[in-house]
Amino acid sequence: MELPMKRTAFFISDGTGITAEALGRSLLAQFEGIQFEQITQPYINTEEKAHAIVEQVNATAIKDGARPLLIDTVVNQSIRTIISKSEALNIDVFSSFLEPLEEELKTRSTYSVGQSHGISKAKEDTYKARIDSVHFALDNDDGARTHHYDKADIILIGVSRCGKTPTCIYMALQFGVRAANYPITEDDLLDSELPKALRPYRHKLFGLTIEPERLSSIRNERRANSSYASLKQCLREVEEVEALYSRHNIGFVDSTHYSIEEISTKIMAKAGIERRFSPR
């Protein structure tokens, strides 16, 4: 029995990559006899990152013995120019899709609508992994069950109400990431060291921060006119938690002006966390 062909496909974006990935996966699903290794690279928003992607694509071309497919939603022209020089079939999602794929893969596509959403063993496995990841996020919310941190892909830390819980749940639901979170309390901020429960997992930590004014507004919805929600308290906590990140060289993102989708993909890109499956 002849084994299916194998090719590598890159989904590249200067944003979250969700559009490029969704469109790319739908297109590639039309070629049922070919197995694709699919690699998503979001936030390719500098020339330095673009050059790095070109190196990765070119190395893949040598390894595979066939040029990769590169499907992108990059808007910046200078970045597009760099990417276009890679040893890949470069497909702009705003151009014609299926014709160049048919030419490159030397086969006609099935043109079947919704092919990427068919029921299969792989889909069943993805569903189970999604549920398991969501359960993990819920079981390890707000510092619960810290003895399970050895099983976490990432542990989000930050002050109360900065967006840790919804971000963990989104990463679990959409990408199968085992994400725990730990709230940095006032008592934690009195010590220059990391909380004891986090010290063995320094390599898994990633921080969230938020503008104090926004934090105060969110906390007032929960405890109106409390010292917990006061701007003075929020200013102090944010300043001290960012100092903690700096002392321990912990990467972090500001959640103030971004959606959960954007926060999640930024974290995963910066922390180098692999997606276990594509978003729904």
Side-chain angles (χ1 to χ4, degrees):
M1 180 178 177
E2 184 178 353
L3 293 175
M5 290 177 57
K6 294 184 179 181
R7 297 290 289 268
T8 302
F10 288 83
F11 306 134
I12 307 298
S13 175
D14 48 6
T16 64
I18 291 173
T19 299
E21 187 177 46
L23 287 171
R25 288 182 183 274
S26 294
L27 290 170
L28 298 184
Q30 310 306 314
F31 300 91
E32 298 175 0
I34 301 174
Q35 291 183 357
F36 294 98
E37 179 181 3
Q38 302 177 11
I39 300 171
T40 301
Q41 294 285 8
Y43 297 109
I44 305 304
N45 50 16
T46 67
E47 293 187 3
E48 180 182 3
K49 291 180 181 178
H51 283 299
I53 283 297
V54 169
E55 289 182 9
Q56 182 180 357
V57 169
N58 292 349
T60 299
I62 294 171
K63 176 176 68 72
D64 290 353
R67 62 176 178 168
L69 311 176
L70 194 159
I71 299 170
D72 77 86
T73 54
V74 173
V75 175
N76 184 285
Q77 188 56 51
S78 65
I79 294 174
R80 288 192 58 78
T81 299
I82 294 168
I83 290 174
S84 69
K85 296 177 181 177
S86 68
E87 298 296 324
L89 173 65
N90 191 186
I91 301 171
D92 176 357
V93 298
F94 301 111
S95 301
S96 298
F97 301 127
L98 292 176
E99 290 81 3
L101 277 172
E102 289 172 337
E103 181 180 351
E104 176 65 20
L105 300 174
K106 296 180 174 58
T107 184
R108 296 290 294 177
S109 68
T110 59
Y111 292 95
S112 56
V113 176
Q115 183 67 35
S116 64
H117 301 293
I119 301 300
S120 65
K121 179 60 165 60
K123 291 291 184 181
E124 291 177 4
D125 290 345
T126 294
Y127 176 79
K128 183 179 184 303
R130 194 187 304 277
I131 295 302
D132 288 346
S133 297
V134 171
H135 283 167
F136 183 88
L138 293 173
D139 287 345
N140 292 275
D141 185 39
D142 272 347
R145 301 190 182 186
T146 58
H147 58 284
H148 288 169
Y149 281 179
D150 60 318
K151 298 179 177 66
D153 296 316
I154 191 169
I155 303 167
L156 296 190
I157 62 175
V159 300
S160 172
R161 311 300 290 177
C162 68
K164 299 183 299 300
T165 295
T167 300
C168 284
I169 292 173
Y170 182 86
M171 288 194 293
L173 183 63
Q174 293 296 329
F175 306 122
V177 172
R178 286 178 170 259
N181 77 77
Y182 185 99
I184 301 297
T185 66
E186 277 195 89
D187 289 343
D188 293 326
L189 293 172
L190 294 174
D191 191 345
S192 63
E193 293 301 317
L194 288 169
K196 186 176 180 180
L198 299 179
R199 292 172 195 170
Y201 308 105
R202 163 67 191 80
H203 60 293
K204 295 184 178 185
L205 302 182
F206 199 92
L208 284 182
T209 189
I210 188 171
E211 290 180 0
E213 294 80 7
R214 176 60 178 156
L215 181 60
S216 176
S217 175
I218 293 171
R219 287 182 173 184
N220 265 300
E221 292 175 5
R222 188 176 186 183
R223 299 183 196 170
N225 303 315
S226 63
S227 59
Y228 163 80
S230 70
L231 181 57
K232 180 180 179 181
Q233 177 70 15
C234 293
L235 281 164
R236 187 177 69 80
E237 288 187 33
V238 169
E239 180 179 315
E240 291 183 1
V241 81
E242 290 184 2
L244 182 74
Y245 299 156
S246 179
R247 276 196 305 275
H248 297 283
N249 195 30
I250 296 170
F252 67 94
V253 298
D254 188 329
S255 65
T256 308
H257 300 295
Y258 297 102
S259 66
I260 294 300
E261 294 88 343
E262 290 173 309
I263 295 166
S264 299
T265 51
K266 280 179 179 289
I267 289 170
M268 291 173 65
K270 288 188 175 186
I273 301 296
E274 295 288 335
R275 306 174 184 211
R276 287 199 170 89
F277 44 74
S278 63
R280 295 186 301 176

